[in-house]
């Protein structure tokens, strides 16, 4: 079991807390008597995790958190994986049905059909 996802989530939560606490401290530092400045366009928060300042290492380890979802690629991947699983199921069913049978004879002289078995079984 890998601890990488747990560490990634802990780091993400830590970064979100740092980001939100830095915003709170910058808001509380405004002078009380003056007019509030109109925020510039670059000061608006970007939705999701893309707006959080993170390290390059964190972005490299967790790219799925920062890359915009691509619906056609998801459909292609789901279709490909489904076809692969279906093909493996087909191969499994085909090998079960083609196990060689041969006619065996008992010591009594009666014959019956028996599957070929390996010496390793």
């Amino acid at each position: 079991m890998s601890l990488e996802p747990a560490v990634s989530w802990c780091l993400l939560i830590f970064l979100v807390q740092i980001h939100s606490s830095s915003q709170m401290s910058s808001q509380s530092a405004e002078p009380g008597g003056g007019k509030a400045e109109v925020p510039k366009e670059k000061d608006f928060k970007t939705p999701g995790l893309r707006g959080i300042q993170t390290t390059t290492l964190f972005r490299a380890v967790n790219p799925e958190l920062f890359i915009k979802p691509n619906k056609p690629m998801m459909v292609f991947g789901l279709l490909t994986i489904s076809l692969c699983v279906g093909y493996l199921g087909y191969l499994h069913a085909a090998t079960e049905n083609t196990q060689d049978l041969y006619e065996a004879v008992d010591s009594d002289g009666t014959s019956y059909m028996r599957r070929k078995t390996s010496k390793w079984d």
Side-chain angles (χ1 to χ4, degrees):
M1 185 170 146
S2 174
L3 293 177
E4 185 178 319
V7 171
S8 298
W9 280 107
C10 290
L11 183 60
L12 177 67
I13 292 169
F14 177 72
L15 291 172
V16 169
Q17 288 176 349
I18 288 175
H19 186 66
S20 62
S21 67
S22 68
Q23 283 184 345
M24 292 170 111
S25 64
S26 66
Q27 289 174 355
S28 63
E30 291 180 6
K35 286 185 175 179
E37 292 182 19
V38 178
K40 297 176 185 173
E41 188 173 328
K42 67 178 184 178
D43 292 338
F44 286 116
K45 188 175 179 183
T46 312
L49 294 175
R50 289 183 207 105
I52 299 174
Q53 291 181 347
T54 58
T55 62
T56 306
L57 177 64
F58 183 77
R59 286 179 183 257
V61 171
N62 302 303
E64 68 277 0
L65 299 175
F66 301 97
I67 297 173
K68 185 178 176 183
N70 188 353
K71 300 285 183 184
M73 190 56 65
M74 282 193 260
V75 170
F76 174 74
L78 184 63
L79 183 66
T80 304
I81 288 177
S82 300
L83 288 174
C84 288
V85 169
Y87 183 65
L88 290 175
Y90 165 75
L91 287 178
H92 181 70
T95 56
E96 272 190 7
N97 293 334
T98 60
Q99 287 182 349
D100 294 328
L101 296 176
Y102 68 96
E103 189 173 350
V105 179
D106 271 350
S107 58
D108 301 338
T110 58
S111 63
Y112 62 95
M113 299 302 288
R114 186 173 182 182
R115 281 191 181 165
K116 284 188 178 178
T117 57
S118 171
K119 292 181 182 178
W120 297 97
D121 289 340

